[in-house]
Amino acid sequence: MITSKKYMKYGAIAGIILSLLWLFVLNSYATGLRLNGNWSTPFGDDDGPWNLGQSYNLSIGHDFTSAIKMSGNFRYSTNERQGFDKTETMSPTLSLGLTNDLFRISINGTQNQRWSGDSPKNTTTTWNSTIASNLTDQKWPQIRLSYGESNATNDSSPSTQDTDNKNFSTSMNYSWNFIQLLYNYRNSQNIDHISQRETDNQNHSSNIQIAKSIWDNKISFSGSYQYSQSDSTTSLTKSSDGTIILDVPSSGSFSGLDSTPETDTLPSAPQLNDGNTVSPTTIGLPDIFNQLNVALQINFNPTNRLQVHFDRQLNLATQQRLHWTLYTSIDGNTWTLLPEIPTIEFIVEDDQTFALLSLATEIRTARYIKTVITTDVGYDNAFLTEIIAQQSVLLTDEKTEFSTSNQTQQSQASINYRPWEQFQIGYSFSQNKNKPSNGAVSTQQTHSVNSHINWNRYFALSLNVGESTDTIEGLTENRSRSYSFSYLTSPIDSVNFSINGTRSNQFEDDLKTQTSDSISSNITAIIVPDLTSSVSYVWSKSTNYSSELVTTNSSYSFNLMARISSRLNVSYYLSHQESATHRLSLSYRPSDLISTTLSAMKSDEATSYATTIHWRITPKIQNNLSYNLTKADSDISHNATYNFSWNISQHLSVRQNMKWSQSQGESTWSGLLSLSYNI
């Protein structure tokens, strides 16, 4: 019996074959074109929905003269998923550029259309123009002017989306001798005709930088000062409950997997704060063994809402399996769990879900805010696109203007003295002052003195003393003072030894709250050719005076690496901190076509074995197979992946990925098959 699911698969295969024939005919007759087609379909457990994705991209470029150039691009993509409406997108783009010795001009426009089933068709039209000076003589400043407009609508009746946006920006960059001047101005106006909301944003930024070396480069100094001010005015009609929602300005976003959310800084993730709520990032929902931390730097601006956007709709089962908590921080390293449990609401816009976390009380004394996401078994994977902080404001007038502003001053200075090649001493200073119109004023300062002497291979020493203060209006002043040293020596050619030490004191106002000490050392030795070993030791002690808690930690590690032959490498690693972890690895390449790695790891918590095999059948056909077995307590988990790639010709290629896993008695498998054609 042929089911509807099989009909969809057979129809997809026929569509791929017809598309390939069409691409072949077009390639035979067209010139000056670049064409790409991609077809992909995931597969896996029988109860999983069937899915087919197709995308076609046509681009053309033409140089009318050496100074006038034109390029165009047309992209069409479609996604068909069992149980869901077919989603289609179409995006034409056209660009024109003019360049000469005096200036360069560029004009570009694009339109993006997206529709799915009976849902309204969304259309976004954008055009931008830029003119910039192209003079190479440094006597003249570099000037740039840019203007653009965009419009977003849909064809529902009545329309539920109708926005216009205008933006203008200019910049000037001038260098003279050892001085550099920079100035930037940007103005954007946004009108939402549906909600009758108008927003005007202006930003000024000026910067002066100096850098100079004197006395045969023995003395060098540098400095910079930057002042920026942003102003935002919103005119709107309040909602039925008398509130308006304002986006909170943020200056950075961060993300990482961290099972100790109360401590540690997070890696920067600027893609979560770029204004793009549609395109997926590489940051996905965590599995049951990890905690996803996502943070924004809000600089003490009042906040009581947080939006976390995803690249797709989240089904009800996934929504129910996700757990959310909110933390705040002043330094980005120590985090405090908010006692208030946020209200979670999942909202769908344009076939994409975002989670709205709402608080009844505003956050006013935090430089950073983050949410920690955990999940239960059996979730539908999704990737984050954007994170937005917001403020809900209660208004009294029917028609109201709401204005906010923010001033930032950043200064930096440093001087270094190098009387001879082996010795250097220097001082540096920096200050960052942030003044929001409706938040706390904060000032951060750092002072540092450092010296370094590299006498010879036997003696290299660095010393550093630093102090940083963080002053926040209405709060205690936090101050940190640190002292550190680093010593490096190489007594013989095959041995290197280093030792580092640090002491830091933390103060709140004038009261010492904590002292931390740490010492680390490392020795690396080449025992015989092709046999290398290293030993490391780390000791730390922390004293908290308010709680009278003293914490001491120590750890060591040993690493041995042997190159048995040009095709065989073996390594052994031992680390110990409260408990020991052993890891043995082997890498073997019997030929230029096959390579494999084997590893085994044992600790008090788990034992695991892993292997990876890479097999290159021909230069165009490659296979990768990996398998991992982990035993923790009474549970045994298995994970296997297989990747296959075949570059059939210069224009045609096939990719296939498969994954299988089994844990806690549940097993799942999935895969992705994709076919690409390029002209």
Side-chain angles (χ1 to χ4, degrees):
M1 180 177 178
I2 300 179
T3 63
S4 59
K5 184 175 179 180
K6 291 184 178 179
Y7 274 123
M8 295 177 70
K9 291 186 177 180
Y10 295 150
I13 294 172
I16 292 174
I17 295 174
L18 291 175
S19 300
L20 285 173
L21 292 174
W22 176 73
L23 289 174
F24 177 77
V25 172
L26 185 60
N27 185 35
S28 301
Y29 291 96
T31 58
L33 298 175
R34 292 180 60 87
L35 187 62
N36 168 266
N38 182 270
W39 304 264
S40 62
T41 177
F43 51 88
D45 297 331
D46 293 336
D47 57 351
W50 180 82
N51 192 342
L52 172 66
Q54 303 177 62
S55 65
Y56 307 91
N57 194 79
L58 174 66
S59 60
I60 183 172
H62 183 69
D63 296 347
F64 296 102
T65 67
S66 59
I68 303 176
K69 300 180 180 181
M70 183 272 292
S71 64
N73 182 275
F74 180 85
R75 177 179 174 81
Y76 171 79
S77 64
T78 177
N79 186 274
E80 298 176 76
R81 188 179 183 188
Q82 186 181 16
F84 293 85
D85 290 327
K86 180 180 179 181
T87 301
E88 299 175 82
T89 60
M90 183 172 61
S91 304
T93 301
L94 183 65
S95 301
L96 183 66
L98 169 65
T99 304
N100 58 35
D101 294 338
L102 300 178
F103 58 85
R104 60 184 185 274
I105 298 176
S106 65
I107 301 174
N108 64 80
T110 183
Q111 184 179 82
N112 181 275
Q113 293 185 340
R114 186 174 187 269
W115 61 96
S116 175
D118 296 330
S119 300
K121 177 189 288 186
N122 297 298
T123 303
T124 302
T125 305
T126 304
W127 72 271
N128 289 283
S129 60
T130 301
I131 180 171
S133 59
N134 205 30
L135 299 171
T136 57
D137 193 337
Q138 293 187 352
K139 295 179 181 179
W140 300 96
Q142 299 293 317
I143 300 175
R144 181 179 180 273
L145 300 171
S146 179
Y147 178 79
E149 295 183 3
S150 65
N151 171 261
T153 61
N154 61 30
D155 61 357
S156 65
S157 182
S159 178
T160 58
Q161 183 183 37
D162 187 4
T163 61
D164 290 311
N165 180 273
K166 299 179 181 180
N167 62 83
F168 169 77
S169 65
T170 181
S171 64
M172 187 273 292
N173 186 342
Y174 181 64
S175 298
W176 176 76
N177 203 344
F178 59 91
I179 301 176
Q180 185 175 20
L181 302 173
L182 301 97
Y183 174 76
N184 289 280
Y185 170 77
R186 180 175 177 83
N187 174 251
S188 64
Q189 299 175 341
N190 183 276
I191 301 177
D192 189 330
H193 299 283
I194 304 300
S195 63
Q196 299 182 2
R197 175 180 180 136
E198 299 181 15
T199 303
D200 184 276
N201 296 307
Q202 296 190 61
N203 181 270
H204 300 265
S205 177
S206 57
N207 185 289
I208 180 171
Q209 301 176 6
I210 61 172
K212 182 70 174 177
S213 296
I214 59 176
W215 200 11
D216 294 331
N217 295 324
K218 292 182 178 180
I219 297 178
S220 62
F221 59 88
S222 65
S224 67
Y225 175 79
Q226 177 175 305
Y227 174 84
S228 62
Q229 177 167 333
S230 59
D231 301 287
S232 177
T233 302
T234 302
S235 303
L236 71 166
T237 302
K238 66 180 181 180
S239 61
S240 58
D241 62 355
T243 61
I244 62 171
I245 304 301
L246 301 174
D247 289 345
V248 172
S250 55
S251 57
S253 54
F254 313 85
S255 178
L257 297 176
D258 189 350
S259 58
T260 56
E262 295 83 6
T263 58
D264 299 331
T265 58
L266 293 173
S268 177
Q271 65 272 29
L272 289 175
N273 190 32
D274 58 3
N276 185 348
T277 60
V278 177
S279 302
T281 65
T282 58
I283 301 169
L285 287 175
D287 56 30
I288 60 174
F289 303 106
N290 292 290
Q291 300 182 29
L292 177 63
N293 294 232
V294 184
L296 271 179
Q297 184 173 345
I298 56 175
N299 298 318
F300 304 99
N301 285 289
T303 303
N304 58 1
R305 290 161 55 105
L306 198 66
Q307 289 187 5
V308 181
H309 289 254
F310 297 95
D311 65 334
R312 67 197 70 183
Q313 287 192 39
L314 301 184
N315 57 44
L316 181 60
T318 297
Q319 296 177 17
Q320 294 174 343
R321 291 185 176 103
L322 295 177
H323 306 283
W324 308 76
T325 51
L326 286 176
Y327 291 78
T328 59
S329 175
I330 291 179
D331 59 5
N333 181 63
T334 302
W335 299 84
T336 301
L337 176 66
L338 288 180
E340 181 183 348
I341 300 175
T343 301
I344 313 297
E345 183 181 1
F346 292 92
I347 302 172
V348 177
E349 287 185 355
D350 298 331
D351 296 325
Q352 293 180 238
T353 297
F354 70 86
L356 175 61
L357 286 67
S358 303
L359 295 169
T361 306
E362 283 186 345
I363 300 170
R364 288 182 169 269
T365 57
R367 182 176 282 119
Y368 302 90
I369 181 174
K370 80 171 177 180
T371 179
V372 178
I373 308 172
T374 58
T375 184
D376 297 330
V377 177
Y379 69 98
D380 184 18
N381 192 26
F383 293 91
L384 278 66
T385 62
E386 192 82 356
I387 178 172
I388 303 171
Q390 295 180 322
Q391 179 190 15
S392 175
V393 181
L394 179 65
L395 300 179
T396 56
D397 299 331
E398 188 65 26
K399 185 75 172 180
T400 308
E401 280 193 356
F402 191 87
S403 299
T404 60
S405 65
N406 190 79
Q407 296 179 6
T408 302
Q409 300 179 60
Q410 296 176 316
S411 54
Q412 176 272 330
S414 66
I415 183 169
N416 288 278
Y417 176 48
R418 195 179 192 122
W420 61 88
E421 188 68 24
Q422 294 84 4
F423 178 73
Q424 176 178 306
I425 186 171
Y427 166 77
S428 63
F429 164 81
S430 67
Q431 177 176 282
N432 185 355
K433 185 174 183 179
N434 189 70
K435 185 179 180 181
S437 59
N438 57 351
V441 179
S442 63
T443 303
Q444 296 173 289
Q445 278 189 3
T446 61
H447 302 264
S448 177
V449 177
N450 61 83
S451 64
H452 177 73
I453 182 170
N454 188 4
W455 192 261
N456 50 39
R457 58 179 290 177
Y458 306 105
F459 187 88
L461 178 66
S462 297
L463 301 174
N464 185 81
V465 179
E467 181 178 89
S468 63
T469 58
D470 192 354
T471 306
I472 304 165
E473 184 181 23
L475 299 177
T476 58
E477 180 186 75
N478 295 305
R479 188 168 75 256
S480 174
R481 187 176 298 133
S482 64
Y483 314 86
S484 64
F485 75 92
S486 175
Y487 173 72
L488 176 67
T489 183
S490 179
I492 57 177
D493 292 339
S494 59
V495 175
N496 290 313
F497 173 77
S498 65
I499 183 170
N500 306 278
T502 301
R503 159 163 281 205
S504 63
N505 295 315
Q506 308 290 330
F507 300 85
E508 289 185 3
D509 290 334
D510 293 326
L511 178 65
K512 183 188 291 187
T513 59
Q514 184 170 306
T515 297
S516 300
D517 299 291
S518 67
I519 294 177
S520 63
S521 62
N522 175 268
I523 182 169
T524 302
I526 301 175
I527 302 173
V528 295
D530 296 329
L531 181 61
T532 304
S533 68
S534 64
V535 179
S536 299
Y537 177 78
V538 178
W539 174 88
S540 64
K541 179 181 179 181
S542 177
T543 303
N544 189 308
Y545 296 103
S546 59
S547 63
E548 298 183 352
L549 178 64
V550 179
T551 305
T552 303
N553 293 299
S554 64
S555 64
Y556 63 86
S557 64
F558 171 74
N559 197 9
L560 184 66
M561 297 161 286
R563 188 170 182 264
I564 307 300
S565 68
S566 60
R567 297 185 180 274
L568 178 62
N569 294 315
V570 178
S571 65
Y572 170 74
Y573 176 78
L574 165 66
S575 65
H576 189 281
Q577 183 177 357
E578 296 182 355
S579 63
T581 299
H582 305 264
R583 185 173 69 240
L584 180 65
S585 301
L586 181 146
S587 175
Y588 179 51
R589 181 185 291 271
S591 71
D592 294 336
L593 301 179
I594 300 177
S595 63
T596 181
T597 59
L598 301 171
S599 65
M601 186 180 71
K602 180 176 177 55
S603 65
D604 289 350
E605 293 78 19
T607 301
S608 65
Y609 306 92
T611 181
T612 300
I613 300 175
H614 175 71
W615 180 21
R616 185 164 59 95
I617 301 175
T618 70
K620 295 184 177 182
I621 302 178
Q622 299 190 35
N623 297 266
N624 282 282
L625 175 65
S626 63
Y627 171 76
N628 179 275
L629 182 149
T630 302
K631 182 178 181 181
D633 297 329
S634 59
D635 180 53
I636 299 179
S637 62
H638 307 264
N639 291 278
T641 60
Y642 172 70
N643 299 316
F644 170 80
S645 64
W646 183 15
N647 295 325
I648 300 173
S649 69
Q650 181 181 356
H651 305 292
L652 187 63
S653 63
V654 177
R655 300 287 186 273
Q656 177 176 287
N657 305 315
M658 298 181 64
K659 181 179 180 180
W660 172 80
S661 63
Q662 184 182 69
S663 178
Q664 296 181 351
E666 294 187 10
S667 63
T668 60
W669 72 279
S670 61
L672 177 67
L673 175 64
S674 62
L675 179 67
S676 297
Y677 188 85
N678 299 276
I679 297 178

